[in-house]
Amino acid sequence: MPLIPAPELTRFADAILRGAGVPAPKACIAADCLVAANLRGVDSHGMQLLPFYVEQLLAGEMDGAAEGRVVSESGSCLLFDGENALGQWVAETCCGHAIRIARAQGVGMVVARESNHFGAAAWWAQKMRAAGMIGIVMCNASPIVPPWQGRQGRVGTNPICVALPGPWLLDMATTTVAAGKIFKAYINGQPEIPPGWAFDSDGVPTTDTQKAYKGMLMPLGGYKGSGLAMMVEILCAVLGGGAMSTELGGIRWRGTRVRCSQTFIALDISRFMPVEEFTARMEKLVGLVKSTPPARDYEEVLVAGDPEWRIEAERLAKGIPIADGNWEALVRAAEKVGVAAPALP
């Protein structure tokens, strides 16, 4: 398993995307997003995605050069048509609009339709956090999750992310795990996955990686996860006029577009209190939560964001580990677009 410095990995991602026909500014944004996920230990949303993107681009199922367009803007609300552009470019544009509107209105809500996979939601919510705001990001996704009590996929992993000034960052799928964790196990030849992650294609719980890869993901917390997934579907696809449920494609599926919808909400904290005061209050809240004695078999109490920040510090210092199967897939993707892989350390 190679350990690759983040700057080197970013250059490799950028070169592959440009080789697949993505203009330089858009390739740079997408590369930064993917490597940032690896740095945080969220490998399911990092470089593992790049070979899938290359397949989409080469098949003409995603337009790497598309810009997208504003459909309408009224008060604090904006509707954006991604026009099948690179998901990271759509997200970058929409975050900019959400921040701009929030500064003027206090709240900025942007809904994008006809977009593509945009990497980890945390990257985009943190852009709003960096502007001194609370950032909320949601996305609907390929229908690989059955509704509660169903046995056919109807909704996606439909993630929810909240980032804000202070030591707390929530980024979660509405399934037990992200789909990328199943993909990683499959790509790297891992025969089994933990129980509670997935169903087979008949809706029967399974720990067999092959069956899970061809099957479906489990909703988080049963009917509660199904409810949250529907909420995301409504706030993204229904509200934005985009593709819903089985109308979506997927990054693994050839012959169709992804057509996902995304929602970006920026809340201007300064309309309530100075950002510094809010940050101090968040630090106090986190301190109160972490002051509880840890339960048996645990050394400490963690809050959302803690594990990822720790992994990020370690990987910035030591490099990013890329599993062998993922590295082989990246090298093959690079070869398809005429890009040489960097020499491994």
Side-chain angles (χ1 to χ4, degrees):
M1 182 184 297
L3 272 174
I4 305 173
E8 183 66 32
L9 199 57
T10 303
R11 284 191 291 270
F12 188 35
D14 180 78
I16 292 173
L17 287 162
R18 286 188 284 114
V22 179
K26 296 178 175 64
C28 179
I29 287 166
D32 285 344
C33 172
L34 294 177
V35 175
N38 285 115
L39 276 173
R40 297 179 65 245
V42 188
D43 297 323
S44 59
H45 286 66
M47 291 289 284
Q48 173 173 287
L49 295 168
L50 193 48
F52 295 116
Y53 291 177
V54 169
E55 292 294 331
Q56 286 181 276
L57 290 161
L58 296 182
E61 294 160 6
M62 176 166 61
D63 186 350
E67 296 286 337
R69 64 183 179 89
V70 174
V71 176
S72 64
E73 181 174 347
S74 177
S76 61
C77 302
L78 186 146
L79 177 62
F80 191 82
D81 190 324
E83 297 184 330
N84 198 34
L86 195 70
Q88 282 84 356
W89 179 254
V90 173
E92 176 82 6
T93 305
C94 289
C95 280
H97 283 304
I99 292 167
R100 169 182 62 81
I101 294 169
R103 283 179 176 146
Q105 304 279 354
V107 178
M109 180 169 176
V110 178
V111 181
R113 65 190 183 209
E114 299 299 331
S115 185
N116 279 289
H117 197 288
F118 64 1
W123 178 252
W124 309 111
Q126 287 183 103
K127 281 188 174 285
M128 292 182 272
R129 172 187 185 270
M133 300 185 179
I134 296 174
I136 303 172
V137 177
M138 293 172 280
C139 179
N140 75 335
S142 309
I144 57 173
V145 185
W148 179 242
Q149 297 178 324
R151 64 187 181 102
Q152 290 183 346
R154 288 296 183 271
V155 294
T157 55
N158 293 13
I160 302 168
C161 180
V162 182
L164 45 78
W168 189 84
L169 170 58
L170 176 70
D171 188 7
M172 54 170 273
T174 53
T175 46
T176 306
V177 297
K181 291 194 174 183
I182 307 288
F183 301 167
K184 183 178 181 181
Y186 178 83
I187 291 167
N188 290 284
Q190 181 181 323
E192 291 192 340
I193 57 171
W197 280 20
F199 301 106
D200 65 17
S201 55
D202 293 320
V204 178
T206 185
T207 59
D208 184 294
T209 301
Q210 296 276 345
K211 292 180 179 179
Y213 184 76
K214 297 175 182 178
M216 300 169 289
L217 293 174
M218 286 193 181
L220 175 69
Y223 67 90
K224 295 182 180 180
S226 282
L228 286 172
M230 282 285 288
M231 179 194 77
V232 172
E233 198 82 21
I234 293 163
L235 292 176
C236 295
V238 178
L239 186 61
M244 303 180 293
S245 184
T246 55
E247 296 171 348
L248 273 74
I251 60 173
R252 293 180 296 154
W253 308 345
R254 300 283 64 80
T256 184
R257 295 180 175 184
V258 173
R259 303 188 64 207
C260 62
S261 299
Q262 293 139 357
T263 292
F264 307 84
I265 303 171
L267 306 176
D268 186 356
I269 294 168
S270 67
R271 301 295 182 114
F272 297 87
M273 64 182 68
V275 174
E276 296 77 12
E277 181 181 349
F278 176 87
T279 304
R281 289 178 61 79
M282 277 304 307
E283 290 169 348
K284 180 179 180 181
L285 173 61
V286 169
L288 290 170
V289 170
K290 293 175 119 178
S291 69
T292 182
R296 189 176 65 184
D297 299 330
Y298 291 94
E299 295 181 357
E300 61 178 321
V301 173
L302 300 175
V303 297
D306 279 345
E308 293 82 3
W309 282 316
R310 292 178 184 182
I311 292 172
E312 183 174 20
E314 179 180 344
R315 291 188 173 185
L316 279 170
K318 298 180 180 179
I320 296 171
I322 302 293
D324 292 335
N326 290 118
W327 182 251
E328 291 168 6
L330 284 168
V331 171
R332 288 195 300 269
E335 289 174 347
K336 288 180 182 178
V337 297
V339 172
L344 296 179

